[in-house]
Amino acid sequence: MSDAEDRSDKRVFGKAIKRNEDIPLLTGSATYTDDVMLREMVHLAIRRSDHAHATIVDIDTSEAEAMDGVIAVYTGEDVVESGVPNTIPTAWMLPGLVTPQYRMLAVDKVRHEGDGIAAVVAETPEKARDALDAIEVTYEKLEHVTDPVDAVESDVPPVHDEAADNVAFDFELGEKDVVDEAFEAADHVVSVDLRQPRIIPNAMEPRAAVADWDRGTEELRIWMTSQNPHLHRMLLSAGTLGVPENKIQVIAPEVGGGFGSKIYHYPDEAVTAWCSMQLGRPVKWKASRMEAYVTDCHGRDHTTTAEIAVNDDGTVQGVRVETYAGLGAQLSQFATATPSYLYSTILSGEYAIPAIYCRVIGAFTNTTPVDAYRGAGRAEGIYVIERLMDVAARELDMDPAEFRRRNLIPADQFPYQTAAAVIYDSGEYERAMDTALEHIGYDDLRERQKALREEGRYLGIGVGNFVESAGLSPSGLAGDLGAQAGGWESSIVRFDSTGTVTVLVGTADQGQGHRTTFAQIAAEELGVDIDAVNVVEGDTDQIPQGMGTYGSRSASVGGGAIARGARDVREKAREIAAHQLEASVEDIGFDDGEFHVVGAPDRSMHIQAVAAQAYLGHNLPEEMDPGLESTNFYDPENFTFPFGTHVAVVEIDPETGAIDLERYVAVDDCGEIINPLIVEGQVHGGIAQGIGAALYEGAVYDDDGHLTTRRMDEYAVPHATYLPDFETENTVTPSPHNPIGVKGVGESATIAAAPTIVSAVVDALEPFGVTHLDMPITPERVWRAMGGGD
Ligand code: MCN
C-alpha cells in the first residue's frame, strides 16, 4: 500500500507512515536552539579546567575583562555572592548516598578536565571564546584518579572531602547468603571479569541554550536542547536559580539527538540563565564539539566480576555480580539510579534464574560525570548475563544457543517474578529466539563454521538474548526507590472548533518521530485523518506538566496518556452525538469517526461535526460544559519489558585480527507496533550504537587525566560503511500495562547488539581458547588474543 493511501485510511495505528517531522528537518526550516536569535542577545563561553584535579589558587580575569567586545566575566565566587541556591541537585537518592555540593561554576577546586571555572559574556561568540585564554588561572595540581576501582581500592586523595574513600554509594540487591548457598550446591561455577568502557554520547547537535530574563516581570524564558523541559524547569527553579517555577518557561525546540545526554540538568545551561539574570539581556551558549566530549555525561564505565552457577544438565542455579561503577567527578541527576536499580534488576535476562545477588560500588573519579546513555543500566546488565551465558555454555561444552534456550522463561510463566525484584509483564522468548535462529540459518552456519575452521578460517556466530525494563513506573515504586521524579506522563487531547485535533504531551522528541506516532494513536482513537492531528511537545508554557523522553517511555507512557485522553474525548463526543441524534448513549455506535444510531445508519454524525457543536455550545446535554478536550495524567502499573534475540556472524582475519561483520539479524518484540517504519529506524540506530560500543567506541584518559578521545577523529563512532545491511523482524507480544499494548523500542537494539557482537567474536576465537574479550574489541585485541605479538 502506498504512503498516500495509508494516510487517508482512518486505521492508522500499525501503519508504516512516513515521518511527519521530516520535511522541515530536511529542508532546513526547522528551528534548533542555535537558530534562536533575540534582540540585544549576547554570547557566553565557559572557561574550563585544564586539569583533572587541582586547587584553584587564583583567578585573574582583568585582562579578559578589558578585551574588545567583552561585556562581563564571572567566576564561581560571583555566582556564590549573587545568593542564588547554586546547586545542581541529584534526582535519585540511595540509602547512604554521599551528595557533595555541585555548583554552577567551580569554587576552590576543579575535579575533572572540563569543569567550568569562569563565564565570559561578549558581543559575539568568537570574542567570548577569544577572551577565555586571557583568564589567568593559578592551580596547584592534586593527584587524580580516573578508574573506578583505583578510586576506591588505592590510596588516592578523595575527589570530594565528604567521601574519603571515593565511595558515593554501596548498593546491594538480593540476599548474599541465599545466593552463596546456591553456588555451593551447583555442579559448576564459572566467572568472568568484564570492563565496560566509558561511552561518549555524540549527539549530532551539541548542547545549547538561549536564556532571556525579563527584569520587569522577573520571568525567565530559556530555549534549550532538552529531553525533559519540565524536569529542567523544576531543577532550574528549585535547586539552582531560586526563580519560582511558574516564572520559568523552558522550550525545547528541535533537538538533534540526545541518547540520554540531554536529560540532565548541567551547570552550563544554568550559567547561561544566571548570566542573563545578571545582565538583563538574552544570552546564548553553545557547546563546541570538543566541549561536548568533556562535558556531556558519559555512559557505562563498569568494572565487574560476574559469576554463574550451573548444573550438569545445563540449568542456571545462580548469578553473583560485583561492580565498580564510575560516576565521574559529580553526581549527575540519574547517575545513582542507572548503575543500581536499572542495572541490577535486569540481571536475570530472559532466563529463569532462582538466585541473584548484585553489589554495586558507585565511585567518584576525576572524570566527566557519568549518567544514563542509550540502554542505561539495562545494557550493562544484559551484557553481564549474556557474557555469563556464553562462558557457562563453553564450560559445559554445550551449544550457546541451546544452553540459552534451556534456561528461557517459558511463555506460560508470565507475568514472571524474577529473582532480581522485578515482574516481567509478558513475553514469548522462545518464539523470538526461534525466529532469529531460523532467519539466519543457525544450524547451517554451525556446519559452515566447522568446515571453514578446517581451512584455517575463523567464523563466529554470536547469539544475544535481551529483555529490558522500559518506561519506569509506577510513580509510587519510583518514589520508594528514591526517585525525585514521577513515572507518569501527561497529555491534553483537544478537538479544535473546526474539527482538527491538538495533542499536547509532556514527552520531548530528539529524533524518535513522536509527531508521527502520537498522531497515529490519536487519529486511530478518534477516527480522524492523521493530517488533522497536530502534536505539540517541548514547551512548558503550553503543556502543563511532563516527565520527558528517556528510558524508552514515550510510546507506552506518553502514548498511553494520549490514548486515554482520546478515549475520554470520544466518550464526551458520544454523549453530545446521542443528545443531538435524540438517542440514548448506549445506542450510539462509533466507526471510523462516525457516530451512528445502532440499527439506523442514516442517523449519524461525524466526530468533527460533534466537535463544532461542542464549541458552539448551543445544543448540549443538560449540565454538560462546552468544549471537547481531556487532560490526562497516566501512571502505568508497571514497566514494559521489550525483548528479543539478535544474531551476528563475523569472520576474523587471522593475519591482522580485523573483524568482518558479515550478517546481523535482529528480532525484536516491542508489543503492538504503532509505526513499523519508525520502529525499524529505532532498531537500526540502536544496532549501530551497540556495534559501536562492541568494536569501536570508548573514552580514553591519559596518565594526566586528560581525555584523549575528544574529537570525531579520535573517538571512533561506526560509519555506515562499517555496517552490514541489518535484517530485522518483529514478533508481537502485547504489554498488558498500557491501553495500547505497546512496549518501548528506543534502546532495545543498543542493549542487544553489544553482547551479540562480543559473543560472535569470542565464538570465532574458540580454537584459540579465548573465552572473553573486553570492548571495544579492536583488531589489535583480537590479534593479541590469537597469539599475535607473543
Ligand atoms: N514506537 C512504535 N511502536 C512501539 C514502540 C515505539 O512505533 N511499540 C515508536 C514511538 O512512538 C517513538 C519511537 O518508536 O516514536 C521510540 O519510542 P520509545 O521506545 O517509547 O522511546 P522514546 O520515544 O521514549 O525515546 C527514548 C529512547 C531512548 S531512551 C534513547 S537514549 C534514544 C532513542 O529513544 N535516543 C534517540 N532513540 C533515539 N532516536 C534518535 N533519533 N535520537 C536519539 O537521541
Side-chain angles (χ1 to χ4, degrees):
M1 194 184 282
S2 78
D3 187 50
E5 282 166 326
D6 264 353
R7 296 184 84 85
S8 65
D9 189 342
K10 301 289 181 290
R11 314 316 304 243
V12 284
F13 189 106
K15 295 267 161 62
I17 289 171
K18 284 186 190 153
R19 290 165 32 113
N20 289 344
E21 36 276 272
D22 282 351
I23 298 294
L25 295 178
L26 294 173
T27 57
S29 71
T31 302
Y32 290 84
T33 300
D34 191 33
D35 296 320
V36 175
M37 298 289 173
L38 301 179
R39 209 158 52 87
E40 299 201 348
M41 189 170 77
V42 288
H43 299 267
L44 165 70
I46 297 175
R47 171 68 188 259
R48 301 188 178 280
S49 167
D50 309 313
H51 299 293
H53 201 188
T55 303
I56 302 172
V57 179
D58 184 49
I59 307 180
D60 182 353
T61 58
S62 52
E63 197 185 318
E65 279 164 26
M67 283 174 74
D68 173 47
V70 170
I71 294 162
V73 182
Y74 301 109
T75 65
E77 292 289 356
D78 295 322
V79 182
V80 172
E81 277 165 26
S82 74
V84 297
N86 193 14
T87 299
I88 305 294
T90 181
W92 199 296
M93 302 307 288
L94 292 176
L97 180 69
V98 179
T99 54
Q101 186 167 14
Y102 183 6
R103 293 191 176 94
M104 285 156 65
L105 289 173
V107 175
D108 301 334
K109 237 181 174 193
V110 288
R111 293 183 169 83
H112 71 97
E113 183 191 35
D115 232 353
I117 306 170
V120 175
V121 182
E123 282 162 6
T124 67
E126 294 74 20
K127 286 178 177 171
R129 278 183 197 282
D130 283 351
L132 293 181
D133 289 340
I135 300 172
E136 280 288 322
V137 188
T138 313
Y139 297 102
E140 209 165 83
K141 269 180 80 175
L142 297 166
E143 202 185 329
H144 68 274
V145 64
T146 56
D147 178 81
V149 181
D150 289 347
V152 176
E153 303 299 343
S154 16
D155 191 17
V156 286
V159 179
H160 296 279
D161 296 340
E162 297 88 332
D165 49 5
N166 282 321
V167 173
F169 63 82
D170 192 341
F171 170 90
E172 274 185 309
L173 180 119
E175 288 176 45
K176 185 153 190 313
D177 297 353
V178 177
V179 179
D180 287 350
E181 271 173 37
F183 269 72
E184 270 159 38
D187 296 331
H188 306 259
V189 172
V190 198
S191 78
V192 63
D193 291 327
L194 306 169
R195 171 87 192 124
Q196 298 191 59
R198 277 171 174 258
I199 299 291
I200 299 179
N202 273 296
M204 204 182 286
E205 179 202 21
R207 281 186 297 120
V210 177
D212 188 11
W213 172 253
D214 185 320
R215 275 189 167 151
T217 60
E218 301 198 322
E219 287 177 349
L220 174 70
R221 180 181 295 169
I222 179 164
W223 289 259
M224 58 190 282
T225 46
S226 169
Q227 297 183 215
N228 30 234
H230 294 86
L231 216 53
H232 275 124
R233 179 177 66 169
M234 181 182 89
L235 294 167
L236 275 169
S237 165
T240 313
L241 298 174
V243 177
E245 191 177 359
N246 61 2
K247 295 213 162 190
I248 301 179
Q249 179 185 9
V250 177
I251 302 167
E254 296 298 344
V255 177
F259 310 114
S261 68
K262 291 170 182 167
I263 300 173
Y264 316 114
H265 176 45
Y266 294 89
D268 315 302
E269 291 83 343
V271 171
T272 312
W274 182 85
C275 287
S276 177
M277 290 165 72
Q278 303 311 298
L279 298 168
R281 289 178 73 172
V283 177
K284 179 185 278 188
W285 169 79
K286 178 172 63 156
S288 69
R289 178 60 65 185
M290 275 165 85
E291 243 178 328
Y293 275 97
V294 291
T295 64
D296 286 1
C297 280
H298 296 175
R300 318 289 193 247
D301 201 10
H302 278 205
T303 302
T304 299
T305 299
E307 298 168 285
I308 187 164
V310 281
N311 278 352
D312 288 330
D313 63 359
T315 54
V316 178
Q317 302 300 309
V319 162
R320 205 160 49 189
V321 174
E322 182 167 302
T323 290
Y324 289 83
L327 303 172
Q330 302 285 1
L331 283 183
S332 176
Q333 275 76 61
F334 296 106
T336 47
T338 301
S340 58
Y341 290 112
L342 290 176
Y343 171 64
S344 61
T345 57
I346 210 68
L347 284 168
S348 199
E350 285 196 341
Y351 312 108
I353 302 176
I356 296 177
Y357 170 78
C358 175
R359 178 178 179 206
V360 182
I361 297 161
F364 289 118
T365 57
N366 295 111
T367 56
T368 299
V370 176
D371 210 321
Y373 163 76
R374 198 172 194 173
R378 285 85 24 96
E380 294 90 311
I382 290 299
Y383 184 72
V384 170
I385 184 64
E386 287 301 297
R387 292 309 308 128
L388 284 174
M389 294 309 276
D390 271 350
V391 293
R394 188 77 70 84
E395 164 84 7
L396 297 176
D397 204 16
M398 278 181 72
D399 176 85
E402 179 48 32
F403 176 66
R404 283 176 167 83
R405 182 194 302 284
R406 201 165 287 193
N407 288 285
L408 289 177
I409 298 165
D412 61 5
Q413 300 279 303
F414 289 87
Y416 181 82
Q417 170 73 63
T418 72
V422 290
I423 300 173
Y424 293 166
D425 56 349
S426 59
E428 283 204 50
Y429 297 164
E430 193 161 12
R431 177 160 67 124
M433 196 170 165
D434 284 345
T435 308
L437 295 181
E438 271 165 33
H439 185 125
I440 204 141
Y442 187 77
D443 294 338
D444 291 347
L445 274 171
R446 285 284 173 212
E447 290 301 317
R448 189 172 144 226
Q449 180 184 46
K450 220 184 282 170
L452 286 177
R453 276 186 188 169
E454 279 163 23
E455 294 171 25
R457 288 175 61 185
Y458 301 100
L459 194 78
I461 306 147
V463 179
N465 285 337
F466 81 96
V467 55
E468 58 156 317
S469 43
L472 169 68
S473 45
S475 300
L477 171 73
D480 289 348
L481 301 181
Q484 312 292 302
W488 50 265
E489 196 46 82
S490 85
S491 73
I492 292 179
V493 177
R494 176 188 298 147
F495 260 106
D496 312 309
S497 56
T498 54
T500 55
V501 178
T502 301
V503 172
L504 302 120
V505 59
T507 49
D509 184 283
Q510 320 109 56
Q512 291 88 351
H514 294 170
R515 255 167 266 163
T516 310
T517 48
F518 288 173
Q520 285 178 268
I521 295 170
E524 173 88 19
E525 295 289 344
L526 298 171
V528 299
D529 236 45
I530 184 168
D531 293 330
V533 183
N534 187 30
V535 176
V536 181
E537 288 185 321
D539 182 345
T540 57
D541 267 15
Q542 288 198 65
I543 299 137
Q545 276 296 349
M547 279 295 151
T549 289
Y550 46 82
S552 304
R553 67 189 302 276
S554 304
S556 57
V557 193
I562 293 166
R564 282 173 37 139
R567 286 173 196 180
D568 289 348
V569 162
R570 194 175 64 206
E571 290 321 302
K572 181 172 178 186
R574 192 192 301 271
E575 282 181 48
I576 298 171
H579 178 75
Q580 299 216 347
L581 294 169
E582 295 174 352
S584 69
V585 174
E586 298 73 45
D587 289 339
I588 297 292
F590 182 72
D591 208 4
D592 280 351
E594 201 72 29
F595 290 111
H596 55 86
V597 179
V598 176
D602 53 323
R603 288 173 62 203
S604 70
M605 214 176 154
H606 195 270
I607 193 166
Q608 287 169 308
V610 175
Q613 293 297 317
Y615 286 99
L616 282 174
H618 297 168
N619 183 17
L620 300 180
E622 221 170 294
E623 292 181 19
M624 179 184 274
D625 293 332
L628 194 50
E629 73 171 56
S630 167
T631 301
N632 213 283
F633 276 70
Y634 173 51
D635 198 0
E637 67 185 82
N638 193 356
F639 294 87
T640 67
F641 289 87
F643 62 90
T645 299
H646 289 202
V647 192
V649 181
V650 300
E651 188 173 353
I652 307 288
D653 180 341
E655 298 291 318
T656 62
I659 299 160
D660 177 33
L661 181 48
E662 197 177 279
R663 281 184 74 191
Y664 195 97
V665 168
V667 174
D668 283 87
D669 194 317
C670 57
E672 300 288 357
I673 294 173
I674 306 164
N675 185 327
L677 206 59
I678 283 180
V679 163
E680 195 183 0
Q682 287 292 312
V683 170
H684 279 213
I687 297 172
Q689 279 179 304
I691 292 174
L695 300 181
Y696 308 110
E697 298 185 42
V700 178
Y701 284 92
D702 69 13
D703 290 345
D704 285 329
H706 296 305
L707 184 69
T708 62
T709 47
R710 51 187 299 174
R711 299 195 329 206
M712 285 261 164
D713 59 352
E714 293 167 346
Y715 183 92
V717 291
H719 297 189
T721 50
Y722 300 178
L723 305 170
D725 283 341
F726 303 139
E727 301 164 54
T728 60
E729 279 196 58
N730 288 98
T731 57
V732 175
T733 311
S735 173
H737 290 152
N738 59 75
I740 46 179
V742 300
K743 300 184 176 199
V745 75
E747 297 163 285
S748 301
T750 306
I751 295 170
T756 303
I757 296 288
V758 175
S759 172
V761 175
V762 172
D763 183 65
L765 298 175
E766 187 191 359
F768 299 88
V770 175
T771 52
H772 174 70
L773 283 180
D774 275 336
M775 302 183 287
I777 308 186
T778 56
E780 184 189 345
R781 279 194 181 162
V782 173
W783 180 71
R784 290 197 187 282
M786 295 169 99
D790 287 351

